[in-house]
Amino acid sequence: MTTQDSVLAERSRKFGVAEGDEGIVRCDACPVLCRIRPGRAGACSRYANENGLLIRTDPVVLLAEAVEGGQPLVAFAENAQDWNGSILPAERVFVTGIGSGTTYPDYKPAPFIVSSQHEGVDTVTVVTEGIFSYCGLKVKIDTDRHLGPETAAIRVNGEQVGHVTTAEYGSQMLSIGGVRHLTGGSKKEGNTTCETMLKLGNGEAVELTIDGGHGVVVQAGQAPIVDGKPETRMRVGCGSATIGIFAKQWQGHVDEVIVVDDHITGVLTEHQAGRVLDMKPTGIRVRGRKSTPGRYFQVAQPGLGWGGTDITDPLSIIQKIDPGTAWPGMRLLMTSTTGEDSLYCILDENLMPVEAEMPAAVRQVVERIGENCEPSLCSVLFVAGAGGSLRAGVTENPILLTRSVQGGTTRVTMGGAPVYVWPGGGITVMVDVLRMPRNAFGYVPTPAIVAPIEFTLPRELYLACGGHAEEIVPVEEVLRAHGGQARIEGGAAENPWPLRRG
């Protein structure tokens, strides 16, 4: 048996067990327990029977810091048969969980437990692919367009896969996936939810429809497409903030400015900014509920019109114009929070706003609103709980791992990308999918999402936590055994660790 055959046989024993005398292998990598015949793949296509050995069909992903130029050093499978592990300097490589396989339900140690040196410290990185039923996506869509009511169902092909959640500043927020949709509904709902999460996690576009709202195409790192129209600008701020930012630039060029916003519409001369600038009251009263001077709520219904409202005629939000205060010839500007919509009017003898050509100085400020808007993008964050049986693949005493993660002495990464660890109990992590290598996510048909996860801690601490000491393998040995078949990628430039240190 060659060295490579020996490596494959050892990994096969980690993932499954031979059954009978027909070359069938039972895959233990998830609760489905596929019985795979030679030449066939399991239900998830992640594992296959190759000549009686259970293999992971995707290559393990190594993050490598190039010696020069920051580029990957070796293409996947190039001269794999001649690989001796010497091309990649061990101190510049990080073994990720992508393609590593899993030892679910973790009564066996994780697929890779790798020792290496980080800044002179002996460390251990436990590498695996977690199977997550308790997971979901938080999707941030930079737009003030009203996509749908808060708590409204989000659907794909008619199946509910999530809901609209609380909007953030300049962004609509969606919650996709979660254990209730994966396990608590019909089989079709669970499978559709899993497929939707898988696609979004791997950077694919997905079309979502929202009950009582609109359709939106979401893709991480790309502009959202709302009812077939791509968004371009994230608003500069709410109506009140826009007044605050540009009040001084409007002074002397207009008598009144109304910034239309679904949440907080601003009226310049009433607003604190206008008062500080000693601007003359204009007697214009807008509809809605007055919060504080110059700040109005609910001037219209939410929608796809001006400032995330349903209006296309901005003058419709003017409730009255006080004849005792306003005057003929008064100059009025109305604008949205992105500057995409604007209207300049002059009051006639009857104090009615009449559209007029916008002076250059006023237009310059409107254009500056647009200039200060950031591009409208979709952001996709994966959230998962790693506080279950997965920990047994790391240590024989899981609570010590939990405490170490919570205490910050164990670093958690997903595909080499940094995660945010939520406070409180358990190990609940959140990661930006764009900071992970491509196609980092998989699935099992239970259904659940498969995601890479790595735990790195000092070797001394690992042993004190009850780690699987007998399974620790130097990174050099991992490279010799698996480097030839690995997919090698450069670390993302924005990730400060593990390849960019100090």
Side-chain angles (χ1 to χ4, degrees), residues 139-185:
V139 178
K140 173 173 169 284
I141 301 174
D142 301 331
T143 178
D144 54 7
R145 311 286 184 201
H146 176 72
L147 301 180
E150 197 168 304
T151 74
I154 300 170
R155 300 183 187 277
V156 171
N157 298 327
E159 296 295 327
Q160 185 175 358
V161 300
H163 65 274
V164 178
T165 188
T166 311
E168 300 296 347
Y169 199 79
S171 306
Q172 307 296 321
M173 303 294 289
L174 310 181
S175 177
I176 306 291
V179 68
R180 188 177 72 80
H181 293 298
L182 285 170
T183 70

Coordinates of all heavy atoms in Angstrom, one line a residue, residues 139-185:
V139 N -29.4 38.9 6.9 CA -29.2 39.5 5.6 C -29.5 41.0 5.8 O -30.6 41.4 6.2 CB -30.1 38.9 4.5 CG1 -29.9 39.7 3.2 CG2 -29.8 37.4 4.4
K140 N -28.5 41.8 5.5 CA -28.6 43.3 5.5 C -28.7 43.8 4.1 O -27.8 43.6 3.3 CB -27.4 43.9 6.3 CG -27.3 45.4 6.3 CD -26.2 45.8 7.2 CE -25.8 47.3 7.1 NZ -25.1 47.6 5.9
I141 N -29.8 44.6 3.8 CA -30.0 45.1 2.5 C -30.0 46.6 2.6 O -30.9 47.2 3.2 CB -31.3 44.5 1.9 CG1 -31.3 43.0 1.9 CG2 -31.5 45.1 0.5 CD1 -32.6 42.4 1.4
D142 N -29.0 47.2 1.9 CA -28.8 48.7 2.1 C -29.8 49.4 1.1 O -29.5 49.6 0.0 CB -27.4 49.1 1.7 CG -26.4 48.4 2.6 OD1 -26.7 48.1 3.8 OD2 -25.2 48.1 2.1
T143 N -31.0 49.6 1.7 CA -32.0 50.4 0.9 C -33.0 50.9 1.9 O -33.2 50.3 3.0 CB -32.7 49.5 -0.1 OG1 -33.7 50.3 -0.8 CG2 -33.4 48.3 0.5
D144 N -33.6 52.1 1.6 CA -34.7 52.6 2.4 C -36.0 52.2 1.8 O -37.1 52.6 2.3 CB -34.6 54.1 2.7 CG -34.5 54.9 1.4 OD1 -34.6 54.3 0.3 OD2 -34.3 56.1 1.5
R145 N -36.0 51.5 0.7 CA -37.3 51.0 0.1 C -37.9 50.0 1.1 O -37.3 49.2 1.8 CB -37.0 50.2 -1.2 CG -36.1 50.9 -2.2 CD -36.8 52.1 -2.9 NE -35.9 52.6 -3.9 CZ -36.0 53.8 -4.4 NH1 -37.0 54.6 -3.9 NH2 -35.2 54.3 -5.3
H146 N -39.2 50.1 1.1 CA -40.0 49.2 2.0 C -40.1 47.8 1.3 O -40.8 47.7 0.3 CB -41.4 49.8 2.3 CG -42.3 48.9 3.1 ND1 -42.1 48.7 4.5 CD2 -43.3 48.2 2.8 CE1 -43.0 47.9 4.9 NE2 -43.8 47.6 3.9
L147 N -39.5 46.8 1.9 CA -39.5 45.5 1.3 C -40.7 44.7 1.8 O -41.2 43.8 1.1 CB -38.2 44.7 1.6 CG -37.0 45.4 1.1 CD1 -35.8 44.5 1.4 CD2 -37.0 45.6 -0.4
G148 N -41.2 45.0 3.0 CA -42.3 44.3 3.5 C -42.5 44.6 5.0 O -41.5 45.1 5.6
P149 N -43.6 44.3 5.6 CA -43.9 44.6 7.0 C -42.9 43.8 7.9 O -42.6 42.7 7.6 CB -45.3 44.2 7.2 CG -45.9 44.1 5.9 CD -44.8 43.7 4.9
E150 N -42.6 44.4 9.0 CA -41.8 43.7 10.0 C -42.5 42.4 10.5 O -43.7 42.4 10.7 CB -41.5 44.6 11.2 CG -40.4 44.1 12.1 CD -40.0 45.2 13.1 OE1 -39.6 46.3 12.6 OE2 -40.0 44.9 14.3
T151 N -41.9 41.3 10.6 CA -42.3 39.9 10.9 C -43.0 39.2 9.7 O -43.4 38.1 9.8 CB -43.3 39.9 12.1 OG1 -44.6 40.4 11.7 CG2 -42.8 40.6 13.3
A152 N -43.1 39.9 8.5 CA -43.7 39.3 7.4 C -42.9 38.1 6.9 O -41.7 38.0 7.0 CB -43.9 40.3 6.2
A153 N -43.6 37.1 6.4 CA -43.0 35.9 5.9 C -42.2 36.1 4.6 O -42.6 36.9 3.8 CB -44.0 34.8 5.7
I154 N -41.0 35.5 4.6 CA -40.2 35.5 3.4 C -40.3 34.2 2.7 O -40.1 33.1 3.4 CB -38.7 35.9 3.7 CG1 -38.6 37.2 4.4 CG2 -37.8 35.8 2.5 CD1 -37.3 37.5 5.0
R155 N -40.5 34.1 1.4 CA -40.7 32.9 0.8 C -39.8 32.7 -0.4 O -39.4 33.6 -1.1 CB -42.2 32.7 0.3 CG -43.2 32.8 1.4 CD -44.6 32.7 1.0 NE -45.5 32.9 2.1 CZ -45.9 32.0 3.0 NH1 -45.4 30.8 2.9 NH2 -46.7 32.3 4.0
V156 N -39.5 31.4 -0.7 CA -38.8 31.0 -1.9 C -39.7 29.8 -2.5 O -39.9 28.8 -1.8 CB -37.4 30.5 -1.7 CG1 -36.8 29.8 -2.9 CG2 -36.5 31.6 -1.2
N157 N -40.1 30.0 -3.7 CA -40.9 29.0 -4.4 C -42.2 28.7 -3.5 O -42.6 27.5 -3.4 CB -40.1 27.7 -4.7 CG -39.0 28.0 -5.7 OD1 -39.1 28.8 -6.5 ND2 -37.9 27.2 -5.5
G158 N -42.7 29.7 -2.9 CA -43.9 29.5 -2.1 C -43.7 29.0 -0.7 O -44.6 29.0 0.2
E159 N -42.5 28.6 -0.3 CA -42.2 28.0 1.0 C -41.6 29.1 1.9 O -40.7 29.9 1.4 CB -41.2 26.9 1.0 CG -41.8 25.6 0.2 CD -43.0 25.0 0.9 OE1 -43.0 25.1 2.2 OE2 -43.9 24.5 0.3
Q160 N -42.1 29.2 3.2 CA -41.5 30.2 4.0 C -40.1 29.8 4.5 O -39.9 28.7 5.0 CB -42.4 30.4 5.3 CG -41.8 31.6 6.2 CD -42.7 31.9 7.3 OE1 -43.7 31.3 7.5 NE2 -42.2 32.9 8.1
V161 N -39.1 30.7 4.3 CA -37.7 30.4 4.7 C -37.2 31.4 5.7 O -36.0 31.3 6.1 CB -36.8 30.4 3.4 CG1 -37.3 29.4 2.4 CG2 -36.8 31.8 2.8
G162 N -38.0 32.4 6.1 CA -37.6 33.4 7.1 C -38.6 34.4 7.2 O -39.8 34.3 6.9
H163 N -38.2 35.6 7.8 CA -39.1 36.7 8.0 C -38.3 38.0 8.0 O -37.1 38.0 8.2 CB -39.8 36.5 9.4 CG -38.9 36.6 10.6 ND1 -38.3 35.5 11.1 CD2 -38.5 37.6 11.4 CE1 -37.5 35.8 12.1 NE2 -37.7 37.1 12.3
V164 N -39.1 39.1 7.8 CA -38.5 40.4 7.9 C -38.3 40.8 9.4 O -39.2 40.5 10.2 CB -39.5 41.4 7.3 CG1 -38.9 42.9 7.4 CG2 -39.7 41.1 5.8
T165 N -37.2 41.3 9.7 CA -36.9 41.7 11.1 C -36.6 43.2 11.2 O -36.8 43.9 10.2 CB -35.8 40.8 11.7 OG1 -35.7 41.1 13.1 CG2 -34.5 41.1 11.0
T166 N -36.2 43.6 12.3 CA -36.1 45.1 12.6 C -35.2 45.8 11.6 O -34.0 45.3 11.5 CB -35.6 45.3 14.0 OG1 -36.4 44.5 14.9 CG2 -35.7 46.7 14.4
A167 N -35.6 46.8 11.0 CA -34.8 47.6 10.1 C -33.6 48.3 10.9 O -33.8 48.6 12.1 CB -35.6 48.6 9.3
E168 N -32.5 48.4 10.2 CA -31.4 49.2 10.8 C -31.2 50.5 10.1 O -31.9 50.7 9.1 CB -30.1 48.3 10.8 CG -30.2 47.0 11.6 CD -30.5 47.2 13.1 OE1 -30.3 48.3 13.6 OE2 -30.9 46.2 13.8
Y169 N -30.2 51.2 10.4 CA -30.1 52.6 9.9 C -29.7 52.5 8.4 O -28.6 52.1 8.0 CB -29.0 53.3 10.7 CG -29.0 54.8 10.5 CD1 -29.9 55.6 11.2 CD2 -28.1 55.4 9.7 CE1 -29.9 56.9 11.1 CE2 -28.1 56.8 9.5 CZ -29.0 57.6 10.2 OH -29.1 58.9 10.1
G170 N -30.6 52.8 7.5 CA -30.4 52.8 6.1 C -30.5 51.4 5.5 O -30.2 51.2 4.3
S171 N -30.9 50.4 6.3 CA -30.9 49.0 5.7 C -32.1 48.3 6.2 O -32.6 48.5 7.3 CB -29.6 48.3 6.2 OG -28.5 49.0 5.9
Q172 N -32.6 47.4 5.3 CA -33.7 46.5 5.7 C -33.0 45.2 6.1 O -32.0 44.8 5.5 CB -34.6 46.3 4.5 CG -35.2 47.6 3.9 CD -36.1 48.3 4.9 OE1 -36.9 47.7 5.7 NE2 -36.0 49.6 4.9
M173 N -33.6 44.5 7.1 CA -32.9 43.3 7.6 C -33.9 42.1 7.5 O -35.1 42.2 7.8 CB -32.6 43.5 9.1 CG -31.7 44.7 9.4 SD -30.0 44.6 8.8 CE -29.4 43.3 9.8
L174 N -33.3 41.0 7.1 CA -34.0 39.8 6.9 C -33.4 38.7 7.8 O -32.2 38.7 7.9 CB -34.0 39.3 5.4 CG -34.5 40.4 4.4 CD1 -34.4 39.7 3.0 CD2 -35.8 40.9 4.7
S175 N -34.2 37.8 8.3 CA -33.7 36.6 9.0 C -34.1 35.4 8.2 O -35.3 35.2 7.9 CB -34.3 36.6 10.4 OG -33.9 35.4 11.0
I176 N -33.1 34.7 7.7 CA -33.4 33.5 6.8 C -32.9 32.3 7.5 O -31.8 32.2 8.1 CB -32.6 33.7 5.5 CG1 -32.9 35.0 4.8 CG2 -32.9 32.5 4.6 CD1 -34.3 35.1 4.3
G177 N -33.7 31.2 7.4 CA -33.3 29.9 7.9 C -33.7 29.8 9.4 O -34.7 30.4 9.9
G178 N -32.9 29.1 10.1 CA -33.2 28.8 11.5 C -33.8 27.4 11.7 O -34.4 26.8 10.8
V179 N -33.7 26.9 12.9 CA -34.1 25.6 13.2 C -35.6 25.3 13.0 O -36.0 24.2 12.6 CB -33.7 25.1 14.6 CG1 -34.5 25.9 15.7 CG2 -33.8 23.6 14.8
R180 N -36.5 26.3 13.2 CA -37.9 26.1 13.0 C -38.2 25.8 11.6 O -39.0 24.9 11.3 CB -38.7 27.3 13.5 CG -40.2 27.1 13.6 CD -40.9 28.3 14.1 NE -41.0 29.4 13.2 CZ -41.8 29.5 12.2 NH1 -42.7 28.5 12.0 NH2 -41.8 30.5 11.4
H181 N -37.6 26.6 10.7 CA -37.9 26.3 9.2 C -37.2 25.1 8.7 O -37.7 24.4 7.8 CB -37.5 27.5 8.4 CG -38.3 28.8 8.7 ND1 -39.6 28.9 8.4 CD2 -37.9 30.0 9.2 CE1 -40.0 30.0 8.8 NE2 -39.0 30.8 9.2
L182 N -36.1 24.7 9.3 CA -35.4 23.5 8.9 C -36.1 22.3 9.3 O -36.1 21.2 8.6 CB -33.9 23.5 9.4 CG -32.9 24.5 8.7 CD1 -31.6 24.6 9.4 CD2 -32.7 24.0 7.2
T183 N -36.6 22.3 10.6 CA -37.1 21.1 11.1 C -38.6 21.1 11.5 O -39.2 20.1 11.7 CB -36.3 20.7 12.4 OG1 -36.6 21.7 13.5 CG2 -34.8 20.8 12.2
G184 N -39.1 22.3 11.7 CA -40.5 22.4 12.3 C -41.6 22.5 11.4 O -42.8 22.4 11.8
G185 N -41.4 22.6 10.1 CA -42.4 22.6 9.1 C -42.5 21.4 8.3 O -42.1 20.3 8.7

